[in-house]
Amino acid sequence: MAAVQGFGVDIGGSGIKGCLVDLEEGALIGERIRVETPQPSVPAAVYDVVVGIVGSFGWTGRIGVTYPGVMKRGVAHTAANMDKGWIGTDVDAGLSALVPGTVETLNDADAAGLAEMRYGAGRGKDGVVLLLTFGTGIGSALFVDGHLVPNTEFGHIQVDGHDGEKRASAAAKDREELSYPHWAKRVDRYLDVLEASVWPDLIIVGGGVSKKAHKWVPLLSTRTPVVPAELQNDAGIVGAALAAAEHREP
Ligand code: BGC
């Protein structure tokens, strides 16, 4: 029997990725397409890329799309690592007018979290589970007994007078050419502050850098257990497809 399929697109500050998704397994079907995020990353230019990716798969159904900022009812409210032109834009409506199916947009870390909770490291985990994605920024997704509390934005908590993600994201590691031990100290301090206000039962760390989790996770001194994400870079695509498939048609 053919797998139940969905389609997800993950919009990020550096790349836009999309693929068909097997919603039973929580896995990509075939090769994903990745295109560099246009600069400036204005909505119209990014929409063009999304339309191109969806078209090249010949997908005509509903699609899930992640956005790296606060997203409420399809409207973007922040743009920390994107062009400020996104703020106030109705992305669901704008994209739905350009692709054959309807569009559901959600925060990128929330999408990754939904995927990890359903298919990955958060499967069957009750209590307070916090997923953090380390990439261009730091994304967060908070789950209470499996239910998502959307748009938590913990990447922007103040840590020693700085925006958390400015010092502890994977981009900060690359930009400042930090070794894993040096960067792990920053992540540790960031998690210290975050833990003190959220008191999670489990922290799942995702983003590209979670592929090398063995190089930095053991250096952390958090009281909460920290485990690497299992879907890694595909979590956003899978979670977007899942959110779109499960949300009632408007
Ligand atoms: C944004 C979040 C996003 C995270 C990861 C942050 O700068 O504010 O909404 O989830 O980056 O992309």
Side-chain angles (χ1 to χ4, degrees), residues 67-70 78 80-81 107-109 133 137-140 153 156 165:
Y67 170 77
V70 171
T78 65
N81 297 301
N107 172 263
D108 56 355
T133 59
I138 298 178
S140 59
E153 292 294 309
H156 301 294
E165 71 177 23

Side-chain angles (χ1 to χ4, degrees), residues 197-235:
S197 40
V198 180
W199 283 82
D201 298 303
L202 176 69
I203 297 175
I204 302 171
V205 289
V209 79
S210 65
K211 276 188 225 146
K212 300 268 170 68
H214 62 282
K215 295 198 172 182
W216 57 281
V217 170
L219 305 176
L220 302 175
S221 66
T222 49
R223 58 172 87 83
T224 314
V226 179
V227 296
E230 288 174 14
L231 284 86
Q232 296 175 349
N233 267 342
D234 298 335

Side-chain angles (χ1 to χ4, degrees), residues 123-137:
R123 221 172 4 200
K125 303 284 185 204
D126 282 337
V128 178
V129 178
L130 175 63
L131 171 117
L132 296 170
T133 59
F134 291 86
T136 311

Side-chain angles (χ1 to χ4, degrees), residues 5-41:
Q5 295 186 358
F7 199 92
V9 178
D10 193 11
I11 298 177
S14 50
I16 302 172
K17 303 170 284 192
C19 199
L20 272 177
V21 173
D22 175 337
L23 291 171
E24 280 155 37
E25 300 292 325
L28 304 190
I29 302 173
E31 289 286 304
R32 67 175 196 192
I33 293 183
R34 182 185 189 279
V35 176
E36 295 284 309
T37 304
Q39 296 303 333
S41 55

Side-chain angles (χ1 to χ4, degrees), residues 133-219:
T133 59
F134 291 86
T136 311
I138 298 178
S140 59
L142 186 69
F143 292 84
V144 182
D145 289 341
H147 297 285
L148 172 67
V149 181
N151 293 310
T152 44
E153 292 294 309
F154 292 143
H156 301 294
I157 58 167
Q158 289 293 301
V159 179
D160 304 324
H162 299 274
D163 190 43
E165 71 177 23
K166 288 283 173 291
R167 293 169 58 84
S169 65
K173 177 181 182 301
D174 294 345
R175 198 169 51 234
E176 299 179 46
E177 298 178 2
L178 305 177
S179 64
Y180 275 101
H182 189 161
W183 179 67
K185 279 205 184 97
R186 291 200 186 174
V187 176
D188 207 35
R189 176 70 190 132
Y190 168 75
L191 291 177
D192 229 25
V193 175
L194 188 49
E195 260 191 328
S197 40
V198 180
W199 283 82
D201 298 303
L202 176 69
I203 297 175
I204 302 171
V205 289
V209 79
S210 65
K211 276 188 225 146
K212 300 268 170 68
H214 62 282
K215 295 198 172 182
W216 57 281
V217 170
L219 305 176

Side-chain angles (χ1 to χ4, degrees), residues 23-63:
L23 291 171
E24 280 155 37
E25 300 292 325
L28 304 190
I29 302 173
E31 289 286 304
R32 67 175 196 192
I33 293 183
R34 182 185 189 279
V35 176
E36 295 284 309
T37 304
Q39 296 303 333
S41 55
V42 292
V46 171
Y47 289 176
D48 276 353
V49 174
V50 174
V51 170
I53 292 175
V54 175
S56 59
F57 283 89
W59 179 258
T60 55
R62 189 161 161 76
I63 64 171

